[in-house]
Amino acid sequence: MITLGTVNFSCKKMLDIQSSRLAAEENLWRNQEDAKGALIGMYTLMRTAMVADNTHWLMGDLRKGDFVSTNRSDLKAIMDGELNASYPVLNRITNWRRFYSVINAASLFIERSREIVANDPRYTPINNQVDVAQARAMRAFAYFYMVRIWGDVPLLITSHDGDFSTHPRTSKEKVLAFATSELLLAIKVLPFRYGGSDPLFPGLYYGSSWTTWNGVLLTKLSAYAILAHIAAWQGNYLDCEAYTKFFVDNTSQLNGDGSFGVKFISTDELTENVNGYSPFAFKRAVQIVGFGFEYGNGEATANGHIEQLTLAKPLILKEYPEMYVPKDTIRKAFTDSKDLRFSIDPLTNLYRTNYFTNYASERPLFSKIKVIGAAQTSDNFAFFTSAVLFTRIEEVTLLRAEALAVLGMRNDAINALNQAASLRGTSPYLSNSSTDLLDAIFAERRRELMGEGWRWYDLVRYNRIKKNNAAFNALLSNGGIYWPVSRDILNANPQIKQNPYWN
């Protein structure tokens, strides 16, 4: 299943094939191996949905973001907000079928996996409960991911063996309420760790220890992080504060059992994989919600990674990057002369290169994320193994700072902001600072999370709070923050109407 899910990230053909599993369905839910295969297949489908055509970065980092296109007109169209332009890649990434493949796989697992308990004594009831909790959490995550993109989407809560194209859209409020309820059910069962000494679910998991599952599966803290983001997207910062508090109070639960745990990582660990702590390389517990590409499993690919868009000479044999961050944007974002991510080193008088390579050139390379082959930072072959990352501890801590600031808990918000930024060399935010606290938090998110698929969604939340940008207010009120729906979806289902802003 892993191989099938990673062979072709374009997904142009795979999701158009009619279901052929019906004949084999009777023999699928028989033993523990079937459960494991179906579970890992679900994760693989979600990874594919996020990285196909570089969806995660095209949708999260380009619109009103920091990157500009070198020579690709389709990327420029996204950057300019022309999301209904006639480019094949835009039509493909606005097709939500691949996310419904995840949802269908999760629903099928929830409905059928309990049959294995009666058929295979190795597959215990508690094992099944934990697996079903993961399926619930994954289905909820897929729905949240889609709502951020399209707003109203069809809500399907049962599996479908064939064509599901006739379902109408459901209000985004109802979809997010369903996702929240699923996650609240899941957190009652999900462990902090798999294959180790977790108090709720100790012992080997599918015969393997914590080192095998570290950073691979959704944990209790993964579910709390997703819950926090759903609440923030809804403007429900009371719940966001509660969910992030549980998260920060329990991060130590991910540590132990002889494997990499969770900590606030240094700039060199973030960008150069020093000590093996990069959240983009290998599989690590620092990937609170993330989907890895393990070199040792033969998962290196040329497509489905941000490096495909941002790297070029001297790091790989490619003349120019497909997109880059202009110098004036870099200078506006990184204003602290002590910032280790980008600034001038006072000892050498040279630009620091953690985030950008060849700053003196016309097109500085965004080289913060560079996992080439077996976690190398440069190579002659453009085969990448970086994980697609949704969140890590620094991101959740900055989200908590955002919630605390909105709720008026100023001192706590300042502490969270400074905790997240403390290893970046920047001066701490002081209580008497003339800079608005929310502005400072979102400016730090811009720097810390650059290239991780957050910029557009952060702009949406920021402008929902501030309401002082007339152009963005118009987008918010008219539904312009959402993407258009693919023409293929509209043609296949007359019940689906285009988002009005894009008519």
Side-chain angles (χ1 to χ4, degrees):
M1 283 190 168
I2 292 174
T3 302
L4 288 173
T6 57
V7 166
N8 183 356
F9 288 110
S10 71
C11 279
K12 289 182 288 185
K13 302 296 183 184
M14 181 175 64
L15 296 181
D16 293 330
I17 298 173
Q18 291 296 318
S19 174
S20 59
R21 72 165 189 265
L22 299 180
E25 190 72 18
E26 291 299 320
N27 298 319
L28 180 59
W29 306 100
R30 295 299 182 115
N31 54 50
Q32 181 174 261
E33 288 72 26
D34 291 339
K36 181 180 179 182
L39 186 73
I40 298 303
M42 180 177 63
Y43 281 89
T44 303
L45 285 170
M46 188 64 203
R47 182 180 71 176
T48 301
M50 293 172 70
V51 305
D53 288 303
N54 294 306
T55 295
H56 184 68
W57 301 280
L58 267 56
M59 289 186 160
D61 280 314
L62 268 60
R63 191 179 181 191
K64 292 186 180 295
D66 295 321
F67 292 89
V68 300
S69 173
T70 301
N71 52 25
R72 281 185 56 176
S73 55
D74 52 357
L75 298 186
K76 187 178 185 302
I78 299 174
M79 295 165 186
D80 293 341
E82 299 171 0
L83 308 184
N84 56 353
S86 296
Y87 292 105
V89 69
L90 268 65
N91 191 50
R92 291 197 299 269
I93 66 176
T94 53
N95 189 324
W96 57 42
R97 283 182 60 88
R98 54 187 136 164
F99 291 99
Y100 280 102
S101 294
V102 180
I103 290 166
N104 191 60
S107 297
L108 189 64
F109 193 96
I110 293 167
E111 295 162 7
R112 299 294 305 275
S113 61
R114 68 174 66 92
E115 299 171 20
I116 304 175
V117 176
N119 294 326
D120 189 341
R122 298 173 300 164
Y123 193 60
T124 64
I126 183 62
N127 197 153
N128 178 241
Q129 292 169 23
V130 168
D131 290 355
V132 167
Q134 291 177 69
R136 290 187 184 278
M138 185 64 73
R139 185 168 64 178
F141 177 56
Y143 272 124
F144 170 57
Y145 202 94
M146 286 197 297
V147 165
R148 293 192 310 168
I149 297 170
W150 290 287
D152 300 344
V153 296
L155 177 61
L156 309 180
I157 60 176
T158 59
S159 64
H160 294 261
D161 286 326
D163 188 14
F164 55 81
S165 61
T166 58
H167 289 77
R169 297 171 80 167
T170 307
S171 73
K172 52 188 174 294
E173 293 81 11
K174 185 174 180 179
V175 175
L176 291 182
F178 173 77
T180 298
S181 66
E182 288 289 277
L183 287 163
L184 291 174
L185 285 174
I187 60 175
K188 296 178 180 179
V189 180
L190 286 172
F192 290 101
R193 301 196 299 276
Y194 297 83
S197 57
D198 182 83
L200 294 177
F201 190 51
L204 298 179
Y205 181 59
Y206 286 109
S208 299
S209 67
W210 170 230
T211 54
T212 296
W213 304 112
N214 188 20
V216 174
L217 307 175
L218 294 178
T219 66
K220 191 182 294 291
L221 289 190
S222 304
Y224 270 99
I226 300 169
L227 277 167
H229 269 291
I230 292 176
W233 190 254
Q234 295 172 310
N236 181 2
Y237 283 102
L238 279 172
D239 282 354
C240 180
E241 188 278 330
Y243 297 140
T244 55
K245 185 178 190 308
F246 182 92
F247 181 96
V248 300
D249 287 348
N250 289 276
T251 53
S252 63
Q253 297 285 354
L254 290 177
N255 302 338
D257 292 318
S259 190
F260 285 82
V262 173
K263 66 170 187 173
F264 290 94
I265 58 178
S266 71
T267 304
D268 284 342
E269 288 172 329
L270 174 68
T271 64
E272 305 297 326
N273 196 31
V274 171
N275 302 319
Y277 262 101
S278 168
F280 309 108
F282 304 117
K283 50 184 180 63
R284 295 285 184 261
V286 290
Q287 299 163 357
I288 302 300
V289 179
F291 304 86
F293 287 79
E294 277 290 286
Y295 180 82
N297 293 339
E299 296 178 355
T301 64
N303 304 313
H305 307 268
I306 191 173
E307 296 97 326
Q308 175 191 357
L309 302 173
T310 57
L311 295 190
K313 292 180 179 179
L315 300 180
I316 62 173
L317 290 179
K318 185 177 181 179
E319 195 65 31
Y320 300 111
E322 295 177 41
M323 65 185 196
Y324 66 98
V325 182
K327 292 181 184 179
D328 59 340
T329 301
I330 295 172
R331 290 192 294 266
K332 289 176 182 177
F334 296 88
T335 57
D336 195 317
S337 62
K338 296 182 290 184
D339 197 320
L340 298 175
R341 293 165 292 200
F342 176 80
S343 59
I344 298 177
D345 189 331
L347 296 179
T348 64
N349 204 34
L350 299 174
Y351 290 104
R352 292 188 169 97
T353 59
N354 286 86
Y355 266 38
F356 302 98
T357 298
N358 281 358
Y359 177 77
S361 67
E362 180 183 358
R363 302 180 185 90
L365 295 184
F366 177 71
S367 54
K368 166 190 171 183
I369 304 171
K370 46 187 182 300
V371 187
I372 307 170
Q376 301 174 77
T377 56
S378 64
D379 203 307
N380 291 333
F381 298 100
F383 284 94
F384 310 111
T385 52
S386 59
V388 54
L389 184 66
F390 179 77
T391 188
R392 50 189 170 92
I393 186 172
E394 292 85 358
E395 190 280 321
V396 176
T397 304
L398 288 170
L399 180 67
R400 175 165 176 75
E402 175 186 333
L404 291 166
V406 171
L407 295 173
M409 304 170 70
R410 181 176 174 83
N411 290 336
D412 290 338
I414 292 172
N415 290 338
L417 168 61
N418 289 335
Q419 184 181 25
S422 62
L423 293 176
R424 303 296 175 254
T426 56
S427 302
Y429 183 93
L430 302 177
S431 59
N432 61 352
S433 174
S434 60
T435 302
D436 179 81
L437 178 55
L438 266 172
D439 287 351
I441 291 169
F442 277 94
E444 177 59 23
R445 285 185 66 90
R446 179 186 188 183
R447 291 185 290 266
E448 179 66 17
L449 303 173
M450 186 176 285
E452 296 184 39
W454 279 111
R455 183 61 178 157
W456 169 250
Y457 306 111
D458 283 359
L459 286 171
V460 171
R461 293 200 317 281
Y462 174 80
N463 283 282
R464 279 174 171 169
I465 297 167
K466 288 289 189 174
K467 296 182 173 64
N468 58 3
N469 184 318
F472 218 105
N473 288 343
L475 287 176
L476 290 167
S477 61
N478 296 328
I481 64 170
Y482 301 113
W483 279 67
V485 179
S486 167
R487 294 186 299 273
D488 293 341
I489 295 295
L490 298 175
N491 292 336
N493 184 2
Q495 293 199 60
I496 300 296
K497 304 302 180 184
Q498 184 61 273
N499 282 328
Y501 184 86
W502 298 107
N503 281 329

